[in-house]
Amino acid sequence: MELIELNAKLREKSGKGVARKLRRNNEIPAIVYGAKKDSMMLSLDTVTFDRIIRKNGSMGLFFNLKVGGDSGEEKMVMLKNMQMDTFGLKYLHIDLHEIDMDNQVSITVPVEAVGDSKGVKEGGLLQIIRRELDVLCKPTDAPDSIKVDISDLDVGDAVHVEDIDLGEGVEIPHEVNFTVITIVAPSVDEKEAGEEEEDLEEEDVKATPAEATEE
């Protein structure tokens, strides 16, 4: 788990007018809440926060939050929710959740396929059905991604959630043994498209000598 430094300013007022004013000043309204503590209203620098998201993505982020600068209060928090505008261009509000390092938290982790599948080499198509999964673990055990080895997968094979072992202390909560990754046969249209391309290549080869003779 990587802790990212994040500075914040304390704010006392809330409401749409206050939020709009913050955004005009290149700040994002934010809130920190915890199970046993009162919530705290904050504002974050838009440029700094956007730089963090572009570099690290938005899933499974943990911050060392400094409220009021280096001499202010520090909190260990995780990104819980990020509200964007309709076009996904502006940050509207950020929800942060204060965490206890000794307690389990639920985080969303991206799924990553690794290796070269036998089925893909034979013309099959890789389908990642679940591109992210929720895991339950302590913050120190949180994985950056869930790597699934697909090397031995043939056409028709699949990896289900119960096939994934993330080691001691990390659990993927689920009630149904759903499919995460599978290798499927190419569709009829794709096969026909491939055959048409081969036919065109053959026609080009046959036409070349004739064209050369005409010249």
Side-chain angles (χ1 to χ4, degrees):
M1 179 197 70
E2 178 186 1
L3 272 181
I4 301 171
E5 297 290 328
L6 181 64
N7 292 314
K9 296 178 183 178
L10 189 64
R11 60 185 174 96
E12 297 180 355
K13 297 181 180 180
S14 61
K16 294 182 179 179
V18 174
R20 283 194 294 266
K21 185 177 180 180
L22 285 172
R23 296 185 197 108
R24 284 197 300 269
N25 293 332
N26 223 16
E27 294 181 271
I28 312 169
I31 189 170
V32 175
Y33 59 91
K36 299 180 180 179
K37 297 182 180 180
D38 293 335
S39 59
M40 179 182 292
M41 294 187 298
L42 307 171
S43 64
L44 307 175
D45 179 71
T46 301
V47 175
T48 301
F49 187 79
D50 184 62
R51 188 181 298 120
I52 291 172
I53 296 300
R54 290 180 182 276
K55 179 181 178 181
N56 301 279
S58 60
M59 289 187 290
L61 292 187
F62 294 89
F63 299 100
N64 180 29
L65 182 70
K66 296 182 178 181
V67 182
D70 293 337
S71 58
E73 184 179 0
E74 291 190 11
K75 293 176 177 290
M76 181 84 67
V77 302
M78 65 177 292
L79 178 61
K80 197 67 176 178
N81 190 32
M82 189 170 69
Q83 297 177 27
M84 308 287 291
D85 67 359
T86 305
F87 305 101
L89 300 175
K90 294 182 179 180
Y91 300 99
L92 299 181
H93 195 274
I94 304 299
D95 289 352
L96 302 169
H97 185 240
E98 189 169 3
I99 57 176
D100 185 338
M101 297 297 289
D102 295 326
N103 290 334
Q104 289 187 325
V105 294
S106 176
I107 63 171
T108 303
V109 181
V111 173
E112 180 183 352
V114 296
D116 297 321
S117 164
K118 295 188 299 184
V120 171
K121 291 178 181 178
E122 295 171 0
L125 301 175
L126 170 65
Q127 286 191 349
I128 302 180
I129 309 299
R130 299 291 186 99
R131 294 192 173 274
E132 54 190 48
L133 294 171
D134 291 334
V135 303
L136 192 63
C137 62
K138 291 182 179 180
T140 51
D141 296 328
D144 294 326
S145 64
I146 298 174
K147 295 180 173 58
V148 180
D149 188 358
I150 62 171
S151 303
D152 294 331
L153 295 188
D154 211 335
V155 175
D157 290 343
V159 176
H160 297 86
V161 65
E162 291 182 1
D163 299 323
I164 300 174
D165 182 9
L166 297 178
E168 186 177 354
V170 184
E171 175 190 354
I172 305 177
H174 63 280
E175 296 181 357
V176 178
N177 188 25
F178 54 80
T179 301
V180 178
I181 290 178
T182 185
I183 307 296
V184 299
S187 65
V188 175
D189 291 342
E190 288 170 338
K191 287 182 178 179
E192 290 178 350
E195 291 172 357
E196 287 177 2
E197 288 179 2
E198 291 179 0
D199 291 341
L200 288 173
E201 289 176 358
E202 291 178 2
E203 289 177 4
D204 289 341
V205 171
K206 293 177 181 178
T208 302
E211 292 170 356
T213 303
E214 290 176 3
E215 292 179 357

